[in-house]
Amino acid sequence: MTSPTIDAKRRLPLHHRIMIGLVLGAVVGIAVNLAVGDEDSSAKRAVDWVIFHITGPIGALFLRLLLMLVVPLVFSSLVVGIAGIGDIRKLGRLGLKAFLYTLVISGISVVIGLTMANTIKPGKRMSEETATELREKFGAGVPAAPDKAEAAKPTAPLKKVVDTLIPSNPFFSAATELPNMLHLMFFALLMGVGITLLPHDATRSLVSVLQGLFEVISKLIDLIMLTAPYAVACLVFNNTAQFGIELLAALSWYVVAVLGGLALHMFGVYSLSVYYLSGIPPLDFFRRTRTAALTAFSTSSSNATLPTAMKVTEENLHVPPEIGNFVLTVGATANQNGTALYEGVTVLFLAQLAGVDLTLGQQLMVAYMAILGGIGTAGVPSGSIPFVVLVLSTIGVQPELVAVILGIDRFLDMCRTTLNVTGDITAATFVAKSEGYKLAGDAEKNSS
């Protein structure tokens, strides 16, 4: 007979257990850091031994398992997300309008995120001594010296862009130990577009296989995330035992940057969008969609919120179901503005912690990957963590540093999912308004 204690543990939500792991690892790590200090003592050597032989490998195992699944996850979800638009030739202007709106709004969200990270600089709010230690542990390694003959050859800027974005062999790009995500995402994007241009019967089997792959990888990530509380405790202990409380102070500034960016996008960009593009007063729009927003916040899942969002869009905003259902269904996977913003801030924050200064070109690369990552990220809780891990590897930051944000990811996930779902609804109202339909808030405004 199962004891009540075991039943209580099973009922405890995963994000609560991850938070417990974060707090436990942080408390023990900070206590060890304060007790041992930086002295070359037997206690310090004992802590280093524990990190090297026990807690370090446990954390590395968790991150390696996530990295193992990133390539099939991003490829399958991105192709399926683009293919979910349907036959572009049949959808015509509806599909084009939804796609362009998603692209523009996602681009704005990433710009806001990068601006917040560059302005607040949460990863640089620590002493130079701690920053130096972080750079030594997590910073980029020394790149291999380029071949002199190759280095001497001038490269045209446009040719460099082509080489950066377009793979000559996508399978080779995906098969390396650190996959080239730009190449992989470009190939997946073209695959998705190609599928939409062919008859459904010709591509049904391929889409079914990729959808099945996506579901399997998502389930495996769910299983791996069950070990997250223990891995987070170990990873956070490793960092706080070595770098102390300053790392947690920087984390608080990171939360400010993420929430500030999400709030600016929600109440700034979306307000302008619904007012000027959909003809709905912003306060009225947020009042009519609050049920969907609360559902998104509580579930942290765009997919789980989809039925509520469809009902709210049709009944409260008077968007025709043939438009609302299409835009919201595609948007649950492909229109994730909050996720794109979050990924941009997170990558820059962790790069700042590691002392990796990204150039404008590298930040544009992160923006490109974050926009496509919004399409290729699963609409489920913690779906963006594998993507962030791989982007860190791409820019030369050790992926173990992602442990810093794992403990508070669930709360930020709740916030960014609210933005995602609200963005889907704004897209539906924009498409409906552009098709000549009179929406609920617009009708009240015109009659007043």
Side-chain angles (χ1 to χ4, degrees):
M1 182 176 179
T2 306
S3 67
T5 303
I6 296 179
D7 284 340
K9 290 180 180 178
R10 288 176 178 173
R11 288 195 298 268
L12 193 64
L14 177 61
H15 60 280
H16 287 170
R17 283 180 276 146
I18 292 177
M19 181 59 70
I20 292 173
L22 170 72
V23 173
L24 182 62
V27 169
V28 176
I30 290 173
V32 168
N33 178 268
L34 294 175
V36 173
D38 297 326
E39 300 175 3
D40 186 16
S41 61
S42 58
K44 180 68 166 59
R45 288 193 293 271
V47 172
D48 291 340
W49 186 93
V50 170
I51 292 175
F52 185 80
H53 290 283
I54 301 176
T55 58
I58 292 175
L61 173 63
F62 173 74
L63 294 171
R64 293 282 291 190
L65 288 173
L66 287 179
L67 276 171
M68 177 183 69
L69 300 177
V70 167
V71 168
L73 173 70
V74 171
F75 180 76
S76 61
S77 60
L78 188 54
V79 174
V80 171
I82 297 296
I85 295 174
D87 190 337
I88 293 177
R89 293 170 299 184
K90 291 181 180 179
L91 294 173
R93 60 181 183 273
L94 292 183
L96 182 61
K97 288 176 182 178
F99 175 74
L100 291 177
Y101 181 89
T102 296
L103 194 62
V104 171
I105 297 296
S106 294
I108 293 174
S109 72
V110 176
V111 170
I112 291 175
L114 296 182
T115 302
M116 294 294 293
N118 281 302
T119 301
I120 298 177
K121 298 185 183 301
K124 295 187 176 182
R125 293 178 177 268
M126 57 181 61
S127 67
E128 184 60 31
E129 181 182 356
T130 302
T132 301
E133 293 179 8
L134 275 166
R135 285 195 293 269
E136 291 175 353
K137 181 176 181 182
F138 296 110
V142 179
D147 182 77
K148 292 183 179 179
E150 290 295 326
K153 294 181 180 178
T155 303
L158 184 58
K159 175 66 164 54
K160 191 172 182 179
V161 171
V162 171
D163 293 341
T164 300
L165 294 181
I166 304 175
S168 58
N169 184 341
F171 299 101
F172 176 79
S173 298
T176 57
E177 184 175 357
L178 291 178
N180 189 318
M181 289 302 295
L182 291 175
H183 287 176
L184 180 66
M185 296 172 96
F186 185 84
F187 179 64
L189 182 65
L190 285 187
M191 281 280 292
V193 171
I195 289 173
T196 65
L197 296 175
L198 290 172
H200 178 66
D201 291 341
T203 59
R204 181 189 299 127
S205 298
L206 176 60
V207 174
S208 178
V209 169
L210 291 175
Q211 180 67 44
L213 176 63
F214 170 73
E215 297 292 344
V216 170
I217 298 299
S218 297
K219 176 55 67 175
L220 291 177
I221 289 177
D222 287 342
L223 294 177
I224 293 172
M225 289 302 294
L226 292 177
T227 67
Y230 313 102
V232 166
C234 292
L235 289 166
V236 173
F237 169 80
N238 298 343
N239 293 330
T240 53
Q242 293 179 335
F243 307 115
I245 200 169
E246 286 191 53
L247 193 60
L248 298 183
L251 181 63
S252 65
W253 283 106
Y254 158 73
V255 173
V256 170
V258 174
L259 295 183
L262 294 177
L264 182 59
H265 196 71
M266 171 75 88
F267 302 111
V269 176
Y270 286 165
S271 294
L272 293 173
S273 173
V274 296
Y275 185 81
Y276 289 104
L277 300 181
S278 305
I280 305 173
L283 291 178
D284 191 37
F285 171 82
F286 290 120
R287 178 179 62 83
R288 291 175 181 273
T289 59
R290 63 181 182 272
T291 301
L294 290 172
T295 303
F297 184 80
S298 61
T299 62
S300 298
S301 172
S302 299
N303 294 338
T305 311
L306 186 56
T308 304
M310 287 180 174
K311 182 178 180 181
V312 165
T313 303
E314 180 181 356
E315 296 181 0
N316 295 359
L317 295 172
H318 298 174
V319 174
E322 62 271 17
I323 292 178
N325 292 354
F326 161 69
V327 175
L328 292 174
T329 301
V330 175
T333 299
N335 182 30
Q336 301 200 37
N337 309 151
T339 298
L341 187 153
Y342 162 83
E343 290 169 350
V345 176
T346 301
V347 170
L348 256 66
F349 165 64
L350 297 177
Q352 290 168 0
L353 281 181
V356 178
D357 293 322
L358 301 182
T359 64
L360 178 60
Q362 290 174 312
Q363 292 195 32
L364 290 176
M365 178 193 73
V366 171
Y368 167 81
M369 296 178 72
I371 293 172
L372 289 185
I375 299 174
T377 299
V380 295
S382 301
S384 59
I385 290 300
F387 176 85
V388 171
V389 167
L390 194 56
V391 175
L392 291 179
S393 300
T394 302
I395 63 175
V397 178
Q398 295 296 324
E400 288 86 352
L401 197 53
V402 79
V404 176
I405 56 99
L406 282 179
I408 47 95
D409 175 71
R410 178 58 184 234
F411 171 70
L412 296 179
D413 198 358
M414 296 164 74
C415 297
R416 66 181 182 262
T417 301
T418 305
L419 192 74
N420 291 339
V421 172
T422 304
D424 296 341
I425 298 175
T426 65
T429 61
F430 160 70
V431 174
K433 177 67 175 180
S434 66
E435 289 296 305
Y437 290 97
K438 182 168 287 189
L439 306 179
D442 184 31
E444 290 181 4
K445 186 183 71 172
N446 291 337
S447 62
S448 60

